[in-house]
Amino acid sequence: MHDSDPNHRLAQICAAMASAAAQAGRPTDATMLIAVSKTHPADAVRPLIAAGQRVFGENRVQEAEQKWPALCEETPGLALHLIGQLQSNKAEAAVALFDAIHSVDRVSLVTALARAMDKSGRRPACFLQVNIGDEPQKGGVPTAALAALIAQARAAELPVAGLMCIPPAMIEPAPYFALLAKLARDHGLAGLSMGMSSDYETAITIGATHIRVGSALFGERG
Ligand SMILES: *Cc1c(COP(=O)(O)O)cnc(C)c1O
């Protein structure tokens, strides 16, 4: 069965990424695929590592701490990105484990991360998560508060790589991706973490530098 073969899924996604990039006149390697392995056990991740995938995303610090040290020991050169909400009291653990953090959304977390980085000497790239549709139930900094958070992150000397968003569900995401791209441009930020299984091709045509793809690679989460 083709669809249950992770190698085949990975190849399909890479082909779709290349074609979206070509359509937009962007180089294929301008977008990094983050394979979101949350909820999937190490045994489900190994075939993708064997197929050459090196960058993975997790949404919980504790799950990542249980799953990844062994995998990282087996295969040097893996990169791990935190894509889920982070509590300030887990900042030290996150800084110790992850190479990038996509969910920086408030000043208390900026402060906790800066302290953890100073203490450990590790400096994972930080993306500020924007509540791009200004939805009441959604995580991320409200668009109106973004400028202040960027200033605070820069003052704390966090390595701010860019912006991240999850657009509102069930509606056309392109305008939200375009808004995130504009906000990043306005603030001189190069990184754009946007696009998931259902909309990564659209995100690439609008300038995504990082796409976060889970179910299209691993199948539906249980
Ligand atoms: C789970 C998750 C993804 C991946 O979602 P899929 O629809 O399975 O590709 C991407 N980004 C974030 C923040 C997530 O929590």
Side-chain angles (χ1 to χ4, degrees):
M1 275 251 310
H2 270 165
D3 269 352
S4 61
D5 177 356
N7 280 324
H8 187 256
R9 285 177 169 165
L10 180 61
Q12 275 185 329
I13 288 167
C14 291
M17 288 176 69
S19 112
Q23 190 188 320
R26 302 182 65 213
T28 303
D29 64 4
T31 307
M32 175 183 281
L33 170 63
I34 302 169
V36 177
S37 49
K38 65 185 184 198
T39 77
H40 297 287
D43 282 344
V45 176
R46 286 193 181 91
L48 276 185
I49 296 175
Q53 178 65 26
R54 290 292 175 268
V55 184
F56 292 86
E58 291 283 343
N59 70 334
R60 297 171 60 108
V61 174
Q62 205 176 351
E63 181 183 343
E65 280 176 326
Q66 283 160 10
K67 200 190 299 182
W68 283 93
L71 291 168
C72 290
E73 194 161 310
E74 287 166 25
T75 309
L78 300 182
L80 205 52
H81 290 226
L82 178 65
I83 60 168
Q85 252 189 20
L86 179 59
Q87 293 171 280
S88 296
N89 64 8
K90 298 234 171 85
E92 269 192 43
V95 165
L97 184 62
F98 290 95
D99 300 288
I101 296 172
H102 292 241
S103 49
V104 181
D105 61 358
R106 61 196 188 277
V107 68
S108 58
L109 183 56
V110 165
T111 306
L113 286 170
R115 195 171 295 148
M117 288 186 199
D118 284 346
K119 203 165 152 186
S120 68
R122 280 180 53 86
R123 300 182 63 74
C126 291
F127 291 78
L128 305 188
Q129 181 175 350
V130 182
N131 184 351
I132 199 69
D134 286 319
E135 299 169 275
Q137 80 287 6
K138 217 36 166 304
V141 62
T143 52
L146 175 62
L149 187 66
I150 292 174
Q152 285 155 337
R154 285 178 167 154
E157 295 181 4
L158 285 197
V160 181
L163 302 181
M164 178 273 224
C165 77
I166 305 169
M170 314 302 282
I171 55 173
E172 170 57 43
Y176 297 97
F177 292 151
L179 177 57
L180 195 74
K182 179 189 183 305
L183 291 170
R185 222 168 27 243
D186 289 349
H187 292 284
L189 293 168
L192 279 175
S193 169
M194 58 188 198
M196 310 182 12
S197 289
S198 59
D199 54 18
Y200 67 89
E201 290 158 284
T202 303
I204 289 171
T205 63
I206 299 172
T209 60
H210 296 69
I211 58 171
R212 311 176 308 267
V213 177
S215 47
L217 266 174
F218 289 97
E220 293 301 325
R221 289 176 289 274

